């Protein structure tokens, strides 16, 4: 049950001064944040980062206040939002009127009705993309997991959500460019308060990647903006949009939203599915149960939308996967009015950091938080859980509009893969990811696939 956070006695946040944390942040910033979160145990935490002093918020009650009850006060603004704002401009990842307009235009693409209508097309695209793994599987050749998961997801998203308007040549430019941006932005994402005139590692790679991405995206906008077709895809929705005065959208607005939607619709699923295989490697009992369920429902058939309702354990595995490795690991906010949060006075301009990664691993919120246990997400075990104990897609007005697409897509890809192959990792990888705009493995991950059933 939530508490009235405004009624608790005013107190100070638990402070972590720079001299206590700087060495840990230099060695491994994500591990250091996890240590701080564990020590704070749900209390509001004040981080001393030298040039900035953000509040770290981990308790579900406080998260609910920031993301939902006082979302009008805690906005996507401030120094920690700057790197993403500079990249994606006035898109659905912005704030205020620009965000409202973008959401209103894009929301119809992601309604449950439209997603359900597209699931047949999604299943066909996934089965075709997964089928391309048969050649390396038959040859006994290991696959590089992250690029292959990216290929499967991108082929699916381009066909289903972007109306097949992005050609293979353009996709082959965009996909590595997004990878380059996600890794090169990491220093600026961690230290956004550093001035732009001070060169940092990754700046040149980031600038080069954005240039390539702009060339591809603006060329696509020029090609389709006057004739996007009549489909229910992102391209069509953006190109047919109109401003309040009836004026057509400018190229920059379409580009910003194309970038935001391509990044969020591909990166989340790609990285979640990449983290899945080390978890199944370490938990063969979960893999065995998945295989048993999938064999009993799908058998030797291609995966179809109607299979999903009969695969409850597949759904539990995907939910637990996102508990341990939520790709959107940090949601920065900035207070725009005074309030009390967790008994602490918050002033206008104060930065607030919310992290599903940290809350999902908090011992006071989750029993055995570091263990991979899909049984947490049975209907019985989920019933009494705080709404904001688990929030991999955010919450409140800014909750990710593509969450239903992710859920369907991830379950279909997992099911299609395990209905055809048995995975075996070449080597284990470190469980703690590398910090950045998203959570990526520290090292490349190789896996051998053995064909089964009709593919054997």
């Amino acid at each position: 049950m939530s508490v009235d956070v405004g009624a608790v006695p005013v107190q100070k946040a638990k402070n972590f001064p720079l001299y206590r944390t700087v060495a840990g942040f230099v060695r491994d910033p994500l591990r250091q944040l996890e240590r701080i979160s564990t020590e704070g145990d749900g209390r509001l935490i004040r981080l001393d980062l030298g040039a900035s002093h953000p509040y770290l918020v981990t308790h579900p009650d406080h998260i609910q206040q920031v993301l939902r009850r006082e979302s009008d006060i805690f906005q996507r603004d401030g120094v920690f939002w700057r790197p993403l704002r500079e990249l994606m401009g006035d898109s659905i990842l912005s704030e205020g009127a620009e965000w409202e307009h973008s959401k209103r235009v894009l929301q119809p693409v992601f309604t449950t009705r439209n997603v359900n209508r597209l699931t047949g097309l999604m299943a066909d695209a996934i089965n075709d993309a997964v089928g391309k793994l048969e050649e390396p599987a038959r040859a006994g050749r290991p696959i590089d997991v992250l690029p292959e998961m990216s290929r499967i997801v991108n082929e699916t998203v381009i066909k289903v959500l972007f109306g097949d308007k992005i050609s293979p040549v353009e996709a082959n430019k965009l996909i590595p460019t997004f990878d380059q941006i996600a890794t090169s932005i990491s220093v600026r994402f961690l230290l956004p308060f550093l001035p732009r005139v001070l060169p940092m590692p990754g700046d040149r790679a980031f600038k080069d990647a954005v240039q390539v991405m702009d060339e591809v995206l603006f060329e696509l906008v020029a090609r389709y903006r006057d004739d996007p077709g009549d489909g229910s895809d992102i391209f069509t929705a953006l190109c047919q949009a109109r401003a309040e005065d009836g004026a057509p959208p400018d190229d920059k607005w379409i580009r910003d939203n194309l970038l935001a939607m391509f990044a969020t619709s591909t990166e989340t699923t790609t990285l979640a599915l990449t983290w899945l295989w080390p978890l199944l490697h370490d938990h063969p009992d979960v893999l065995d149960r998945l295989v048993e369920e999938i064999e009993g429902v799908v058998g030797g058939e291609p995966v179809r939308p109607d299979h999903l309702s009969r695969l409850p354990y597949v759904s539990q595995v995907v939910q637990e996967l996102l508990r341990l490795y939520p790709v959107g690991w940090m949601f920065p906010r900035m207070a725009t009015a005074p309030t009390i949060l967790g008994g602490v006075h918050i002033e206008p301009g104060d930065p607030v950091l919310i992290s599903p990664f940290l809350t999902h691993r908090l011992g006071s919120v989750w029993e055995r938080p570091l263990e991979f246990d899909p049984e947490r997400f049975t209907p019985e075990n989920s019933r009494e859980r705080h709404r904001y104990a688990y929030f991999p897609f955010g919450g409140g007005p800014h909750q990710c509009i593509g969450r239903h697409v992710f859920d369907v897509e991830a379950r279909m890809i997992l099911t299609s893969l395990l209905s055809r192959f048995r995975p075996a990792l070449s080597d284990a990888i470190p469980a703690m990811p590398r910090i950045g705009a998203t959570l990526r493995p520290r090292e490349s991950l190789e896996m051998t696939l053995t064909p089964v059933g009709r593919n054997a």
Side-chain angles (χ1 to χ4, degrees), residues 305-384:
D306 61 280
H307 287 140
L308 296 184
S309 63
R310 292 176 283 152
L311 297 168
Y313 195 64
V314 169
S315 181
Q316 290 171 220
V317 167
V318 170
Q319 288 175 290
E320 176 69 346
L321 168 65
L322 284 185
R323 186 187 68 83
L324 282 175
Y325 295 104
V327 182
W329 74 278
M330 183 72 79
F331 304 146
R333 293 290 188 269
M334 186 187 75
T336 59
T339 188
I340 295 177
L341 179 64
V344 176
H345 273 301
I346 303 295
E347 300 296 335
D350 282 344
V352 170
L353 303 178
I354 288 176
S355 172
F357 182 86
L358 298 178
T359 299
H360 292 179
R361 292 167 177 248
L362 206 58
S364 57
V365 176
W366 295 89
E367 186 179 350
R368 302 171 287 106
L370 301 185
E371 291 185 25
F372 179 64
D373 180 11
E375 288 299 304
R376 300 179 199 274
F377 289 95
T378 62
E380 298 77 18
N381 291 335
S382 299
R383 193 170 293 124
E384 301 300 323

Side-chain angles (χ1 to χ4, degrees), residues 145-187:
V145 174
L146 179 57
E148 285 299 323
M149 295 302 106
S150 176
R151 178 189 61 79
I152 294 169
V153 170
N154 278 280
E155 288 181 15
T156 303
V157 166
I158 286 170
K159 184 176 290 292
V160 177
L161 293 183
F162 289 87
D164 224 4
K165 294 182 174 74
I166 302 175
S167 71
V169 172
E170 290 158 338
N172 288 337
K173 291 180 180 179
L174 285 175
I175 294 167
T177 299
F178 276 109
D179 290 342
Q180 187 173 334
I181 286 173
T183 53
S184 62
I185 201 176
S186 58
V187 174

Side-chain angles (χ1 to χ4, degrees), residues 237-260:
L238 292 174
C239 292
Q240 291 182 344
R242 291 295 179 268
E244 293 292 336
D245 60 1
D250 60 44
D251 290 359
K252 177 67 163 53
W253 180 83
I254 299 176
R255 172 267 187 205
D256 290 347
N257 276 291
L258 282 176
L259 170 57

Side-chain angles (χ1 to χ4, degrees), residues 76 78-91 93-94 181 185 188-189 192 196 206 255-256 259-260 263 330-332 436-438:
R76 295 197 289 196
V79 66
F80 283 91
W81 196 258
R82 184 186 300 162
L84 293 179
R85 185 65 183 265
E86 290 176 353
L87 178 63
M88 300 183 185
D90 294 332
S91 69
L93 293 182
S94 62
I181 286 173
I185 201 176
R188 291 291 179 188
F189 190 80
R196 281 291 176 185
F206 179 82
R255 172 267 187 205
D256 290 347
L259 170 57
M330 183 72 79
F331 304 146
T438 52

Side-chain angles (χ1 to χ4, degrees), residues 130 133 149 152 273 277 412-422 447 449 452:
V130 171
L133 293 174
M149 295 302 106
I152 294 169
L273 291 171
W277 308 110
M412 278 191 180
I413 293 174
L414 167 59
T415 301
S416 184
L417 279 161
L418 290 184
S419 69
R420 299 179 184 218
F421 310 105
R422 296 294 173 267
M447 180 169 68
L449 299 172
V452 294

